Amino acid sequence: MTTRIIALVLLGLVMGFILLMASVSFFVRDPLPIVGANQTLLLHTAEISPQIRTSVAIDGGYRVDLTVEHAEAQDPQVVLRPVGGQAIILDTGLDSSGAWSGSGQMTRPGRWELVLTDGAARETLPFIVRE
């Protein structure tokens, strides 16, 4: 009888642990995108209309290349910064298709923000840079 009680308690603990791990997906609603060295991350605005599409490409030395595709009527201001830190300096220009492009050196891995401002509309696109 004692063996059955111990087995049922252990079964209850194991099932409780499994249910707890399965419920994590309900708590994390909108995870941040993650990008690493030699990868490209595609982001787009949800609050600015018409939509602005961005491409964040990071090379092996954590040098970042940004491409911001926008409508001709838009003139977005772009800031790339670590969360809670100062914006990095970007060498900017326009590519052959008229899209805004910039490049700079990322200072550290961790949480970053791409801040797009178009007139009065402003949107922050967070992402994580992994080592």
Side-chain angles (χ1 to χ4, degrees):
M1 185 70 172
T2 307
T3 308
R4 287 185 183 170
I5 293 173
I6 293 173
L8 288 174
V9 168
L10 287 176
L11 177 65
L13 291 173
V14 169
M15 292 303 291
F17 181 73
I18 291 171
L19 288 173
L20 177 68
M21 291 296 112
S23 68
V24 168
S25 63
F26 297 114
F27 299 122
V28 180
R29 292 279 182 223
D30 197 12
L32 294 179
I34 299 173
V35 64
N38 300 317
Q39 292 181 334
T40 301
L41 176 65
L42 301 175
L43 300 169
H44 62 278
T45 60
E47 298 172 11
I48 298 176
S49 182
Q51 187 178 62
I52 299 175
R53 292 176 306 280
T54 62
S55 168
V56 180
I58 301 174
D59 69 7
Y62 289 95
R63 183 147 180 87
V64 63
D65 290 318
L66 292 173
T67 303
V68 180
E69 298 176 9
H70 55 87
E72 287 184 27
Q74 292 175 311
D75 185 26
Q77 302 298 315
V78 179
V79 174
L80 181 63
R81 65 181 182 213
V83 172
Q86 295 293 322
I88 64 171
I89 297 172
L90 297 172
D91 299 325
T92 62
L94 297 176
D95 64 9
S96 60
S97 65
W100 184 95
S101 64
S103 63
Q105 182 66 46
M106 296 186 116
T107 55
R108 62 183 166 95
R111 289 178 168 234
W112 284 76
E113 297 175 327
L114 179 62
V115 181
L116 299 171
T117 307
D118 183 36
R122 181 178 184 181
E123 188 165 349
T124 302
L125 304 171
F127 62 94
I128 296 174
V129 176
R130 71 173 173 225
E131 291 185 46

